[in-house]
Amino acid sequence: GAGVSQSPSNKVTEKGKDVELRCDPISGHTALYWYRQSLGQGLEFLIYFQGNSAPDKSGLPSDRFSAERTGGSVSTLTIQRTQQEDSAVYLCASTRGETQYFGPGTRLTVL
Amino acid sequence: GNSVTQMEGPVTLSEEAFLTINCTYTATGYPSLFWYVQYPGEGLQLLLKATKADDKGSNKGFEATYRKETTSFHLEKGSVQVSDSAVYFCAQDGGATNKLIFGTGTLLAVQP
């Protein structure tokens, strides 16, 4: 596709439920990042994938968060047992060089 | 650890006014520096970048110069337009993975 796409664009869930957020990077981009944008914390790095290397998970806030990238392309961020503090916009970015290209984000609201 | 500090907003200016948004960073080594912009209802877009000391990034009339001596990367524009109203984020790339470390963002509102 022309850019990074993310789905869903909005997700409302109840506390305690699991959610999955999807990211389709730009074709040919080998690196993929997840970030979170929230009122209290600004923009924070969550996780990074590069090719077949082990991901950098250093930004994941708790073990309820996990992510995978299948076939070096699509990535899914999973949040288990969601909490209200997980409410944020989750952004995905991809790159094959230095410039990261961001998707439109998924707005997650945990009630 | 590495961090980015940018001026608090909101910044409200009249059209054609001069804009400066201050940004300073702390880092080990010499990161690349970026300004990203988020227009209302849209995703983050790269506005400009600089990869080494004294480089000047420029785009759409905006400029920023990588100042190693003051660890700064201030964003400037000589004459803002209403269409420049957005949130501006300063960022550095942190370490081997090039993950971005962002400032808190500065909301710019330009009035006609």
Side-chain angles (χ1 to χ4, degrees):
Chain A
V4 178
S5 60
Q6 294 185 244
S7 60
S9 55
N10 281 284
K11 177 71 176 179
V12 180
T13 190
E14 294 178 347
K15 178 181 171 181
K17 301 284 190 184
D18 298 351
V19 296
E20 284 189 353
L21 313 179
R22 177 187 168 105
C23 172
D24 282 88
I26 294 172
S27 178
H29 282 194
T30 56
L32 186 148
Y33 301 78
W34 283 97
Y35 295 87
R36 180 170 70 172
Q37 185 175 19
S38 57
L39 280 177
Q41 302 296 325
L43 265 161
E44 318 168 83
F45 164 79
L46 296 177
I47 188 169
Y48 160 75
F49 296 91
Q50 171 65 58
N52 295 321
S53 302
D56 175 357
K57 305 179 182 179
S58 61
L60 294 178
S62 78
D63 59 7
R64 295 186 295 104
F65 288 71
S66 63
E68 63 178 19
R69 189 178 184 194
T70 54
S73 181
V74 171
S75 178
T76 302
L77 177 70
T78 300
I79 309 174
Q80 296 179 309
R81 305 181 303 281
T82 52
Q83 304 295 312
Q84 288 182 333
E85 62 262 28
D86 300 333
S87 296
V89 177
Y90 290 82
L91 297 171
C92 176
S94 71
T95 181
R96 64 177 178 188
E98 190 172 55
T99 300
Q100 294 182 28
Y101 296 88
F102 283 80
T106 294
R107 181 175 296 278
L108 174 66
T109 303
V110 181
L111 302 177
Chain B
N2 295 359
S3 66
V4 174
T5 302
Q6 61 182 105
M7 64 188 288
E8 297 274 335
V11 174
T12 303
L13 295 174
S14 297
E15 208 164 21
E16 299 183 2
F18 184 86
L19 169 71
T20 300
I21 300 178
N22 290 338
C23 172
T24 57
Y25 66 93
T26 59
T28 52
Y30 304 103
S32 294
L33 301 174
F34 306 83
W35 277 99
Y36 276 83
V37 59
Q38 189 172 34
Y39 297 103
E42 297 185 17
L44 273 173
Q45 303 174 26
L46 178 66
L47 180 60
L48 54 84
K49 68 178 183 182
T51 57
K52 60 183 188 297
D54 300 325
D55 268 2
K56 177 185 284 188
S58 61
N59 186 26
K60 299 182 181 181
F62 291 88
E63 293 184 338
T65 301
Y66 192 143
R67 302 285 188 200
K68 185 177 68 172
E69 62 276 12
T70 54
T71 61
S72 65
F73 193 55
H74 304 322
L75 183 68
E76 296 182 336
K77 186 173 185 181
S79 176
V80 294
Q81 305 300 311
V82 172
S83 57
D84 294 326
S85 298
V87 181
Y88 292 82
F89 293 90
C90 185
Q92 62 167 296
D93 64 354
T97 63
N98 290 329
K99 64 186 180 187
L100 291 172
I101 300 168
F102 288 92
T104 52
T106 302
L107 173 63
L108 170 65
V110 180
Q111 299 176 337

